[in-house]
Amino acid sequence: MTDVQTNPRGIPKAPFVDRVNEFTGGDYEGTLNKFNEMLSKYKFMETHLIQRQASLQSKIPEIRKSLEMVVFLSKQNDETELDFELNDTLWLNAVVPKTEHVNLWLGANVMLQYPIKEAEELLTQKLMAAKASQQQVAEDLEFLKEQITTMEVNIARVYNEDVKIRRSKKVQSE
């Protein structure tokens, strides 16, 4: 049994078919079916990662903005007057008293109150984790693109070899 090479997140590496006859053992159609199945799996993973990348690209600015606001509030010694956005076209002027706690929206209809220092630590950790995840997604997408290209080349090579063999058999039978 051969060991399948994978990337750090477990995505299998596509084999490169150098000698088509040896690899297929004469079963071109079966090999093409397996390769097409692998190609569709790679494309499914690519679609999933592209969606995850888009999600991270929208979350990171939100986390950064929340972190900046928590840091701003932690530096205030007394009440602060500021303008904030209620809607796309609606802004409100407010006086914010000195506070020791902030409420963080965690998602899934959950909001928790944190001391400012804990909120800052939590948001910093979430930002670092999101950036690391974004880096991993980018690496995985690059890896998948290479595997998709390899599989497309393999499919073309097996198909061309199959056509070549069929033509030679046809010529011999005539």
Side-chain angles (χ1 to χ4, degrees), residues 32-46:
L32 283 172
N33 289 338
K34 288 178 186 175
F35 282 180
N36 280 319
E37 181 182 338
M38 286 178 67
L39 181 62
S40 66
K41 288 178 182 178
Y42 283 134
K43 288 190 176 191
F44 175 77
M45 286 186 263
E46 181 184 40

Side-chain angles (χ1 to χ4, degrees), residues 89-103:
T89 59
L90 183 61
W91 289 76
L92 182 68
N93 186 285
V95 175
V96 179
K98 169 77 174 139
T99 183
E100 298 297 322
H101 295 87
V102 293
N103 295 322

Side-chain angles (χ1 to χ4, degrees), residues 72-84:
F72 173 78
L73 289 173
S74 71
K75 292 180 180 179
Q76 300 308 307
N77 294 328
D78 53 356
E79 60 184 35
T80 306
E81 185 175 331
L82 47 89
D83 295 326
F84 65 94

